[in-house]
Structure formats: C-alpha cells, structure tokens
Amino acid sequence: MNLELPKKLRALSNQAHQVAAEYFRPLSRKYDKAEHAYPRELDLLSALLDGMNAGSPESVGAGSASKRGVGAEEGVRNGGNLSALVGVMELCWGDVGLLLAMPRQGLGNAAIAAVANAEQLERFRGTWAAMAITEPGCGSDSAAIRTTAVKDGDHYVLNGEKIFVTSGERADAVVVWATLDRNLGRAAIKSFVVEKGTPGMRVTRLEKKLGIKASDTASISFNDCRVPAANLLGNAEIDVQKGFAGVMETFDNTRPLVAGMAVGVAKAALDRTRELLAGAGCRFDYRTPLLAASHAEATLYRLEAEWEAARLLTLKAAWMADNRLPNSKEASIAKAKAGRVANEITLKCVELAGALGYGEDELLEKWARDSKILDIFEGTQQIQLLIVARRLLGKSSSELK
C-alpha cells in the first residue's frame, strides 16, 4: 500500500504551500483584525488559478470536486477531488479564512460541480458561488428546510431565509436549497443558483465571528424571488424512491474538502509548536520510548499520530470520489475525525506554547479560533457520527435519529 502522494500531486502540494507561506501568512493577522474587509490581494491569486485551470484538463480548486467523467475502465485515478483536497490542505496551512474568501473557490462551486448538468457547468463557469442551506429553524437537519420554491411558468419563486452563508455578500451567486413540496419531505429538496442582484434576494446581516474573520458570513432573505427554471441544478423531477440522495451528493464532495481545511490548520499548529518547543530545548527523538520523553514531547507525538490518521482518512474519501466509489460514510468519517482532531490539536498547541500561544505575537491562538468552525459547518461532529452509524447498521434516517 503506497500512502505517499503521486508525483503530479506533490508538485501541486509544493506550489500551494508556497502560496500559503508567502501570500496567505503575511496577510493572516491583517484580515483577522479587519473583519468584513474584502482581501483584495486575493483577486490576483484567483485570476492566476483561473488561468491555470483554463489550460489544464486537471483543474484545481472547489469547482473540480465531482464524481463525473470517470469511467471504471480508466482504472485507479487521482483526479479533481484529490487535487482540490491537496490544494486546500496546503492553503489552510496558511490561513483558513483567506481560502474561504477566495473568489470562485466557494462551497457553492463544489455543489455546482457535483450535481449540475453539462449546460449548467458551462453557463456557471467562472461564477463565484456561495452555498445557502442553514435556516433559523433548520441547522444540522438539512431535510427540515422550510424555504420554498414554487414553479411559475419558466421560473421558480423562492421564499424563505438562509443564515450562516459563507461569502454570501461577496459571491456572484448563491446555491440555495429549497423544497418544491413540503408534503413530499426530503425528496422535494432541490438546489437553485440565485445570482447576485436578483429582485427579492437581500443580504440582511453580516455575522461577527470567533474565527475565519477574513471570510464574510451572511444572512439572506428571499421574498418572491424569481429564479429561472434553468437554474435548478440537476434533475427537476421529484424522485421519492431516490429521496434526498441527489442533493446529498454535494456533501460527499464538500465534506472531504472541509476535512482537508481542518488537516491544514492542524498541521500549521503542529509545525509552529514543534519549532517553539525545539527552541526551548525539546529534542524530539522518535527513538526514545514515550515513558522516557518529556510531557511536551510525548503530547506532540500523540497529536501527530492523530493528525496523520485524520489526513489518511480524508485522502481516502477524496480518492473514492475520484474513482466513483460510494463515499458517503467515508466522507463523514473524515469530516468527524479531522474536525475533532483539529480542535484538539490547535487548543493543545496553545497550551504547550504557554504565554506565547495565548498572545497575538503568534498565530497559534488564531488557528485555535479558526479551527472551531471546521467541526461545525458542512455537518456537525454529532451529525457525522449519526450518518456513520446509519451506514454501518444499514438504517435509514427515519429508523435511526
């Protein structure tokens, strides 16, 4: 079993790491202090990434995360999902908030890549898309969505409210989850691309947050908002047998990416803590039995082992998506493990670094704040464990709640 990155992904990883170190890190504290200010420095970087993707069959970024276009006859494949994941992990070593603030790299772009048809993929190419799922009365239970979409000729009329929309104010469009018929439950939930400036769509509030302050988080209301029927992603038919699975395919692609964000910020904390402890006299000799190592050394060894486990689980989930293997369980395992581990590692690194870890002269305290959201959005820790339990036991959502 080869657990090393293939050659083409190692080159991508090195490039992304350089961007994280030379571009993101110098801006990190600036935009942590200036919440809601748009990091205009990212425009050039996004333009460069767009140019790279335009000239390459293996595009990189959130928009490349999908299960389409891979046939079983092609054999084992390391494709768009793994490429996107490797880039995300390295960029989040630099700064999670700045990655989330990058134009055309939003979770909405991953949603479009996952479920849009060929015509929609072409039409929304180059669009920066946010994703709007959560509502005031609907958090972890995505099936409880109350926002409605009623067919009216060549349009759907949307009514409802969405909260905690990442890049909701800045993005060119928002992928909105809404129900076509509340009486039909989960099967009637579809996703719509609502472009910025559409009458009836209004940003009502920007959140002040614990972390990822470089990224805006908005509340958006929809009042008789008319959206072209062609903007419904995928199939408009309500398939009661398939149920919620069509829309949920989005999460199979986005949850490994969020897990990758957690892996990246946790690695940043581990690397910097190791440097600080080495400067304080820790030797880090892996040949030394744990019982003979200092408490700080032994703690860091344990955290590194947890990090490696999260990393491998995350790579597996993305690799399965590239090879068109069912990965819902693995995506949730990776998200649950990486989110929890990132929280533990970043907080423990603050503790190990003492006063340095708690102060703003170091980024350790910022990474601890940034990591918390990674255990919450795209499905909380508890929801991921529930999904894993359902898959292992063969239970439906109605049978195991």
Side-chain angles (χ1 to χ4, degrees), residues 149-178:
V150 178
K151 188 73 180 295
D152 182 17
D154 293 333
H155 289 75
Y156 284 92
V157 180
L158 270 61
N159 282 282
E161 182 181 5
K162 297 294 183 179
I163 59 176
F164 304 138
V165 182
T166 301
S167 298
E169 183 187 45
R170 301 171 186 165
D172 302 322
V174 179
V175 177
V176 181
W177 286 27

PDB file of all heavy atoms in Angstrom, residues 149-178:
ATOM      1  N   ALA A 149     -39.822  26.719  -3.067  1.00  0.00           N
ATOM      2  CA  ALA A 149     -39.644  27.082  -4.468  1.00  0.00           C
ATOM      3  C   ALA A 149     -40.888  26.622  -5.219  1.00  0.00           C
ATOM      4  O   ALA A 149     -41.141  25.424  -5.325  1.00  0.00           O
ATOM      5  CB  ALA A 149     -38.394  26.440  -5.042  1.00  0.00           C
ATOM      6  N   VAL A 150     -41.677  27.577  -5.719  1.00  0.00           N
ATOM      7  CA  VAL A 150     -42.937  27.265  -6.394  1.00  0.00           C
ATOM      8  C   VAL A 150     -42.799  27.567  -7.878  1.00  0.00           C
ATOM      9  O   VAL A 150     -42.396  28.673  -8.265  1.00  0.00           O
ATOM     10  CB  VAL A 150     -44.094  28.084  -5.785  1.00  0.00           C
ATOM     11  CG1 VAL A 150     -45.402  27.792  -6.525  1.00  0.00           C
ATOM     12  CG2 VAL A 150     -44.233  27.777  -4.296  1.00  0.00           C
ATOM     13  N   LYS A 151     -43.118  26.593  -8.722  1.00  0.00           N
ATOM     14  CA  LYS A 151     -42.992  26.760 -10.176  1.00  0.00           C
ATOM     15  C   LYS A 151     -44.025  27.759 -10.682  1.00  0.00           C
ATOM     16  O   LYS A 151     -45.208  27.683 -10.341  1.00  0.00           O
ATOM     17  CB  LYS A 151     -43.185  25.407 -10.874  1.00  0.00           C
ATOM     18  CG  LYS A 151     -42.890  25.423 -12.367  1.00  0.00           C
ATOM     19  CD  LYS A 151     -41.405  25.522 -12.637  1.00  0.00           C
ATOM     20  CE  LYS A 151     -41.087  25.546 -14.122  1.00  0.00           C
ATOM     21  NZ  LYS A 151     -41.446  24.283 -14.809  1.00  0.00           N
ATOM     22  N   ASP A 152     -43.555  28.722 -11.485  1.00  0.00           N
ATOM     23  CA  ASP A 152     -44.435  29.713 -12.094  1.00  0.00           C
ATOM     24  C   ASP A 152     -43.939  29.971 -13.511  1.00  0.00           C
ATOM     25  O   ASP A 152     -43.060  30.807 -13.734  1.00  0.00           O
ATOM     26  CB  ASP A 152     -44.421  31.009 -11.267  1.00  0.00           C
ATOM     27  CG  ASP A 152     -45.375  32.062 -11.833  1.00  0.00           C
ATOM     28  OD1 ASP A 152     -46.255  31.692 -12.632  1.00  0.00           O
ATOM     29  OD2 ASP A 152     -45.212  33.258 -11.495  1.00  0.00           O
ATOM     30  N   GLY A 153     -44.477  29.222 -14.465  1.00  0.00           N
ATOM     31  CA  GLY A 153     -44.026  29.349 -15.846  1.00  0.00           C
ATOM     32  C   GLY A 153     -42.596  28.876 -16.008  1.00  0.00           C
ATOM     33  O   GLY A 153     -42.250  27.743 -15.644  1.00  0.00           O
ATOM     34  N   ASP A 154     -41.743  29.754 -16.526  1.00  0.00           N
ATOM     35  CA  ASP A 154     -40.335  29.428 -16.740  1.00  0.00           C
ATOM     36  C   ASP A 154     -39.463  29.808 -15.553  1.00  0.00           C
ATOM     37  O   ASP A 154     -38.238  29.869 -15.681  1.00  0.00           O
ATOM     38  CB  ASP A 154     -39.815  30.146 -17.993  1.00  0.00           C
ATOM     39  CG  ASP A 154     -40.462  29.625 -19.264  1.00  0.00           C
ATOM     40  OD1 ASP A 154     -40.877  28.446 -19.257  1.00  0.00           O
ATOM     41  OD2 ASP A 154     -40.560  30.383 -20.242  1.00  0.00           O
ATOM     42  N   HIS A 155     -40.090  30.077 -14.433  1.00  0.00           N
ATOM     43  CA  HIS A 155     -39.350  30.483 -13.239  1.00  0.00           C
ATOM     44  C   HIS A 155     -39.822  29.685 -12.023  1.00  0.00           C
ATOM     45  O   HIS A 155     -40.874  29.056 -12.039  1.00  0.00           O
ATOM     46  CB  HIS A 155     -39.546  31.977 -12.945  1.00  0.00           C
ATOM     47  CG  HIS A 155     -38.868  32.883 -13.925  1.00  0.00           C
ATOM     48  ND1 HIS A 155     -39.359  33.101 -15.197  1.00  0.00           N
ATOM     49  CD2 HIS A 155     -37.725  33.631 -13.814  1.00  0.00           C
ATOM     50  CE1 HIS A 155     -38.557  33.940 -15.841  1.00  0.00           C
ATOM     51  NE2 HIS A 155     -37.567  34.280 -15.024  1.00  0.00           N
ATOM     52  N   TYR A 156     -38.992  29.717 -10.982  1.00  0.00           N
ATOM     53  CA  TYR A 156     -39.399  29.287  -9.646  1.00  0.00           C
ATOM     54  C   TYR A 156     -39.409  30.517  -8.753  1.00  0.00           C
ATOM     55  O   TYR A 156     -38.532  31.390  -8.871  1.00  0.00           O
ATOM     56  CB  TYR A 156     -38.420  28.258  -9.074  1.00  0.00           C
ATOM     57  CG  TYR A 156     -38.570  26.873  -9.653  1.00  0.00           C
ATOM     58  CD1 TYR A 156     -37.824  26.480 -10.753  1.00  0.00           C
ATOM     59  CD2 TYR A 156     -39.458  25.960  -9.094  1.00  0.00           C
ATOM     60  CE1 TYR A 156     -37.946  25.209 -11.290  1.00  0.00           C
ATOM     61  CE2 TYR A 156     -39.590  24.680  -9.618  1.00  0.00           C
ATOM     62  CZ  TYR A 156     -38.835  24.322 -10.721  1.00  0.00           C
ATOM     63  OH  TYR A 156     -38.971  23.055 -11.247  1.00  0.00           O
ATOM     64  N   VAL A 157     -40.389  30.582  -7.858  1.00  0.00           N
ATOM     65  CA  VAL A 157     -40.478  31.706  -6.922  1.00  0.00           C
ATOM     66  C   VAL A 157     -40.039  31.216  -5.551  1.00  0.00           C
ATOM     67  O   VAL A 157     -40.659  30.320  -4.971  1.00  0.00           O
ATOM     68  CB  VAL A 157     -41.915  32.268  -6.853  1.00  0.00           C
ATOM     69  CG1 VAL A 157     -41.972  33.434  -5.868  1.00  0.00           C
ATOM     70  CG2 VAL A 157     -42.379  32.707  -8.234  1.00  0.00           C
ATOM     71  N   LEU A 158     -38.953  31.800  -5.049  1.00  0.00           N
ATOM     72  CA  LEU A 158     -38.364  31.375  -3.768  1.00  0.00           C
ATOM     73  C   LEU A 158     -38.796  32.295  -2.640  1.00  0.00           C
ATOM     74  O   LEU A 158     -38.801  33.533  -2.792  1.00  0.00           O
ATOM     75  CB  LEU A 158     -36.836  31.372  -3.853  1.00  0.00           C
ATOM     76  CG  LEU A 158     -36.165  30.065  -4.322  1.00  0.00           C
ATOM     77  CD1 LEU A 158     -36.618  29.700  -5.729  1.00  0.00           C
ATOM     78  CD2 LEU A 158     -34.644  30.188  -4.259  1.00  0.00           C
ATOM     79  N   ASN A 159     -39.156  31.686  -1.511  1.00  0.00           N
ATOM     80  CA  ASN A 159     -39.485  32.434  -0.300  1.00  0.00           C
ATOM     81  C   ASN A 159     -38.871  31.737   0.903  1.00  0.00           C
ATOM     82  O   ASN A 159     -39.021  30.516   1.060  1.00  0.00           O
ATOM     83  CB  ASN A 159     -41.003  32.542  -0.106  1.00  0.00           C
ATOM     84  CG  ASN A 159     -41.624  33.600  -1.001  1.00  0.00           C
ATOM     85  OD1 ASN A 159     -41.543  34.791  -0.727  1.00  0.00           O
ATOM     86  ND2 ASN A 159     -42.238  33.154  -2.093  1.00  0.00           N
ATOM     87  N   GLY A 160     -38.184  32.502   1.743  1.00  0.00           N
ATOM     88  CA  GLY A 160     -37.563  31.936   2.942  1.00  0.00           C
ATOM     89  C   GLY A 160     -36.363  32.745   3.374  1.00  0.00           C
ATOM     90  O   GLY A 160     -36.092  33.829   2.842  1.00  0.00           O
ATOM     91  N   GLU A 161     -35.642  32.215   4.362  1.00  0.00           N
ATOM     92  CA  GLU A 161     -34.461  32.905   4.899  1.00  0.00           C
ATOM     93  C   GLU A 161     -33.339  31.901   5.124  1.00  0.00           C
ATOM     94  O   GLU A 161     -33.574  30.783   5.601  1.00  0.00           O
ATOM     95  CB  GLU A 161     -34.797  33.596   6.224  1.00  0.00           C
ATOM     96  CG  GLU A 161     -33.619  34.371   6.809  1.00  0.00           C
ATOM     97  CD  GLU A 161     -33.945  35.030   8.143  1.00  0.00           C
ATOM     98  OE1 GLU A 161     -35.058  34.814   8.655  1.00  0.00           O
ATOM     99  OE2 GLU A 161     -33.070  35.753   8.667  1.00  0.00           O
ATOM    100  N   LYS A 162     -32.129  32.289   4.771  1.00  0.00           N
ATOM    101  CA  LYS A 162     -30.939  31.476   4.989  1.00  0.00           C
ATOM    102  C   LYS A 162     -29.966  32.227   5.889  1.00  0.00           C
ATOM    103  O   LYS A 162     -29.850  33.459   5.802  1.00  0.00           O
ATOM    104  CB  LYS A 162     -30.255  31.151   3.660  1.00  0.00           C
ATOM    105  CG  LYS A 162     -31.095  30.306   2.709  1.00  0.00           C
ATOM    106  CD  LYS A 162     -31.339  28.909   3.248  1.00  0.00           C
ATOM    107  CE  LYS A 162     -32.125  28.061   2.255  1.00  0.00           C
ATOM    108  NZ  LYS A 162     -32.344  26.685   2.758  1.00  0.00           N
ATOM    109  N   ILE A 163     -29.280  31.486   6.759  1.00  0.00           N
ATOM    110  CA  ILE A 163     -28.311  32.098   7.659  1.00  0.00           C
ATOM    111  C   ILE A 163     -26.965  31.378   7.543  1.00  0.00           C
ATOM    112  O   ILE A 163     -26.885  30.278   6.999  1.00  0.00           O
ATOM    113  CB  ILE A 163     -28.801  32.069   9.133  1.00  0.00           C
ATOM    114  CG1 ILE A 163     -29.047  30.625   9.596  1.00  0.00           C
ATOM    115  CG2 ILE A 163     -30.061  32.900   9.293  1.00  0.00           C
ATOM    116  CD1 ILE A 163     -29.430  30.508  11.069  1.00  0.00           C
ATOM    117  N   PHE A 164     -25.920  32.032   8.060  1.00  0.00           N
ATOM    118  CA  PHE A 164     -24.557  31.472   8.052  1.00  0.00           C
ATOM    119  C   PHE A 164     -24.117  31.073   6.644  1.00  0.00           C
ATOM    120  O   PHE A 164     -23.597  29.981   6.418  1.00  0.00           O
ATOM    121  CB  PHE A 164     -24.448  30.273   9.005  1.00  0.00           C
ATOM    122  CG  PHE A 164     -24.856  30.592  10.416  1.00  0.00           C
ATOM    123  CD1 PHE A 164     -25.630  29.707  11.151  1.00  0.00           C
ATOM    124  CD2 PHE A 164     -24.452  31.770  11.022  1.00  0.00           C
ATOM    125  CE1 PHE A 164     -25.999  29.996  12.453  1.00  0.00           C
ATOM    126  CE2 PHE A 164     -24.817  32.060  12.327  1.00  0.00           C
ATOM    127  CZ  PHE A 164     -25.598  31.183  13.045  1.00  0.00           C
ATOM    128  N   VAL A 165     -24.316  31.984   5.692  1.00  0.00           N
ATOM    129  CA  VAL A 165     -23.924  31.740   4.301  1.00  0.00           C
ATOM    130  C   VAL A 165     -22.502  32.274   4.105  1.00  0.00           C
ATOM    131  O   VAL A 165     -22.289  33.492   4.103  1.00  0.00           O
ATOM    132  CB  VAL A 165     -24.886  32.423   3.313  1.00  0.00           C
ATOM    133  CG1 VAL A 165     -24.477  32.104   1.879  1.00  0.00           C
ATOM    134  CG2 VAL A 165     -26.322  31.987   3.581  1.00  0.00           C
ATOM    135  N   THR A 166     -21.537  31.383   3.963  1.00  0.00           N
ATOM    136  CA  THR A 166     -20.150  31.788   3.756  1.00  0.00           C
ATOM    137  C   THR A 166     -20.000  32.481   2.407  1.00  0.00           C
ATOM    138  O   THR A 166     -20.428  31.955   1.388  1.00  0.00           O
ATOM    139  CB  THR A 166     -19.216  30.565   3.821  1.00  0.00           C
ATOM    140  OG1 THR A 166     -19.361  29.929   5.092  1.00  0.00           O
ATOM    141  CG2 THR A 166     -17.768  30.976   3.638  1.00  0.00           C
ATOM    142  N   SER A 167     -19.419  33.685   2.418  1.00  0.00           N
ATOM    143  CA  SER A 167     -19.244  34.530   1.227  1.00  0.00           C
ATOM    144  C   SER A 167     -20.582  34.961   0.640  1.00  0.00           C
ATOM    145  O   SER A 167     -20.670  35.296  -0.549  1.00  0.00           O
ATOM    146  CB  SER A 167     -18.407  33.822   0.150  1.00  0.00           C
ATOM    147  OG  SER A 167     -17.117  33.540   0.630  1.00  0.00           O
ATOM    148  N   GLY A 168     -21.605  34.993   1.457  1.00  0.00           N
ATOM    149  CA  GLY A 168     -22.944  35.327   0.984  1.00  0.00           C
ATOM    150  C   GLY A 168     -23.070  36.729   0.427  1.00  0.00           C
ATOM    151  O   GLY A 168     -23.883  36.973  -0.470  1.00  0.00           O
ATOM    152  N   GLU A 169     -22.288  37.674   0.947  1.00  0.00           N
ATOM    153  CA  GLU A 169     -22.362  39.044   0.443  1.00  0.00           C
ATOM    154  C   GLU A 169     -21.473  39.246  -0.783  1.00  0.00           C
ATOM    155  O   GLU A 169     -21.819  39.977  -1.710  1.00  0.00           O
ATOM    156  CB  GLU A 169     -21.941  40.035   1.536  1.00  0.00           C
ATOM    157  CG  GLU A 169     -22.064  41.488   1.086  1.00  0.00           C
ATOM    158  CD  GLU A 169     -21.498  42.475   2.094  1.00  0.00           C
ATOM    159  OE1 GLU A 169     -20.393  42.238   2.613  1.00  0.00           O
ATOM    160  OE2 GLU A 169     -22.157  43.500   2.344  1.00  0.00           O
ATOM    161  N   ARG A 170     -20.318  38.598  -0.823  1.00  0.00           N
ATOM    162  CA  ARG A 170     -19.329  38.862  -1.871  1.00  0.00           C
ATOM    163  C   ARG A 170     -19.526  38.029  -3.129  1.00  0.00           C
ATOM    164  O   ARG A 170     -19.133  38.450  -4.213  1.00  0.00           O
ATOM    165  CB  ARG A 170     -17.926  38.587  -1.324  1.00  0.00           C
ATOM    166  CG  ARG A 170     -17.555  39.425  -0.123  1.00  0.00           C
ATOM    167  CD  ARG A 170     -16.241  38.939   0.475  1.00  0.00           C
ATOM    168  NE  ARG A 170     -15.902  39.623   1.711  1.00  0.00           N
ATOM    169  CZ  ARG A 170     -14.978  39.205   2.564  1.00  0.00           C
ATOM    170  NH1 ARG A 170     -14.305  38.104   2.301  1.00  0.00           N
ATOM    171  NH2 ARG A 170     -14.731  39.886   3.666  1.00  0.00           N
ATOM    172  N   ALA A 171     -20.090  36.849  -3.004  1.00  0.00           N
ATOM    173  CA  ALA A 171     -20.163  35.909  -4.131  1.00  0.00           C
ATOM    174  C   ALA A 171     -21.052  36.436  -5.253  1.00  0.00           C
ATOM    175  O   ALA A 171     -21.948  37.261  -5.041  1.00  0.00           O
ATOM    176  CB  ALA A 171     -20.667  34.557  -3.653  1.00  0.00           C
ATOM    177  N   ASP A 172     -20.806  35.938  -6.473  1.00  0.00           N
ATOM    178  CA  ASP A 172     -21.607  36.316  -7.640  1.00  0.00           C
ATOM    179  C   ASP A 172     -22.985  35.667  -7.615  1.00  0.00           C
ATOM    180  O   ASP A 172     -23.919  36.154  -8.245  1.00  0.00           O
ATOM    181  CB  ASP A 172     -20.900  35.886  -8.935  1.00  0.00           C
ATOM    182  CG  ASP A 172     -19.510  36.483  -9.065  1.00  0.00           C
ATOM    183  OD1 ASP A 172     -19.325  37.651  -8.674  1.00  0.00           O
ATOM    184  OD2 ASP A 172     -18.606  35.772  -9.546  1.00  0.00           O
ATOM    185  N   ALA A 173     -23.092  34.531  -6.936  1.00  0.00           N
ATOM    186  CA  ALA A 173     -24.348  33.788  -6.886  1.00  0.00           C
ATOM    187  C   ALA A 173     -24.374  32.945  -5.617  1.00  0.00           C
ATOM    188  O   ALA A 173     -23.340  32.726  -4.983  1.00  0.00           O
ATOM    189  CB  ALA A 173     -24.504  32.897  -8.114  1.00  0.00           C
ATOM    190  N   VAL A 174     -25.561  32.488  -5.260  1.00  0.00           N
ATOM    191  CA  VAL A 174     -25.727  31.628  -4.084  1.00  0.00           C
ATOM    192  C   VAL A 174     -26.490  30.385  -4.499  1.00  0.00           C
ATOM    193  O   VAL A 174     -27.517  30.474  -5.189  1.00  0.00           O
ATOM    194  CB  VAL A 174     -26.503  32.362  -2.961  1.00  0.00           C
ATOM    195  CG1 VAL A 174     -26.699  31.445  -1.761  1.00  0.00           C
ATOM    196  CG2 VAL A 174     -25.777  33.634  -2.533  1.00  0.00           C
ATOM    197  N   VAL A 175     -25.962  29.217  -4.133  1.00  0.00           N
ATOM    198  CA  VAL A 175     -26.680  27.963  -4.359  1.00  0.00           C
ATOM    199  C   VAL A 175     -27.613  27.751  -3.167  1.00  0.00           C
ATOM    200  O   VAL A 175     -27.163  27.519  -2.041  1.00  0.00           O
ATOM    201  CB  VAL A 175     -25.706  26.777  -4.504  1.00  0.00           C
ATOM    202  CG1 VAL A 175     -26.485  25.467  -4.653  1.00  0.00           C
ATOM    203  CG2 VAL A 175     -24.790  26.985  -5.706  1.00  0.00           C
ATOM    204  N   VAL A 176     -28.912  27.865  -3.424  1.00  0.00           N
ATOM    205  CA  VAL A 176     -29.930  27.858  -2.360  1.00  0.00           C
ATOM    206  C   VAL A 176     -30.671  26.522  -2.357  1.00  0.00           C
ATOM    207  O   VAL A 176     -31.171  26.077  -3.395  1.00  0.00           O
ATOM    208  CB  VAL A 176     -30.946  29.009  -2.573  1.00  0.00           C
ATOM    209  CG1 VAL A 176     -31.986  29.014  -1.467  1.00  0.00           C
ATOM    210  CG2 VAL A 176     -30.218  30.351  -2.635  1.00  0.00           C
ATOM    211  N   TRP A 177     -30.738  25.911  -1.196  1.00  0.00           N
ATOM    212  CA  TRP A 177     -31.533  24.695  -1.036  1.00  0.00           C
ATOM    213  C   TRP A 177     -32.964  25.093  -0.661  1.00  0.00           C
ATOM    214  O   TRP A 177     -33.182  25.855   0.283  1.00  0.00           O
ATOM    215  CB  TRP A 177     -30.943  23.804   0.057  1.00  0.00           C
ATOM    216  CG  TRP A 177     -29.697  23.090  -0.342  1.00  0.00           C
ATOM    217  CD1 TRP A 177     -28.785  23.486  -1.267  1.00  0.00           C
ATOM    218  CD2 TRP A 177     -29.220  21.851   0.170  1.00  0.00           C
ATOM    219  NE1 TRP A 177     -27.754  22.578  -1.363  1.00  0.00           N
ATOM    220  CE2 TRP A 177     -28.004  21.564  -0.480  1.00  0.00           C
ATOM    221  CE3 TRP A 177     -29.685  20.952   1.122  1.00  0.00           C
ATOM    222  CZ2 TRP A 177     -27.250  20.419  -0.213  1.00  0.00           C
ATOM    223  CZ3 TRP A 177     -28.942  19.812   1.399  1.00  0.00           C
ATOM    224  CH2 TRP A 177     -27.740  19.549   0.720  1.00  0.00           C
ATOM    225  N   ALA A 178     -33.920  24.567  -1.421  1.00  0.00           N
ATOM    226  CA  ALA A 178     -35.328  24.869  -1.164  1.00  0.00           C
ATOM    227  C   ALA A 178     -36.169  23.652  -1.508  1.00  0.00           C
ATOM    228  O   ALA A 178     -35.743  22.771  -2.263  1.00  0.00           O
ATOM    229  CB  ALA A 178     -35.767  26.077  -1.999  1.00  0.00           C
TER     230      ALA A 178
END
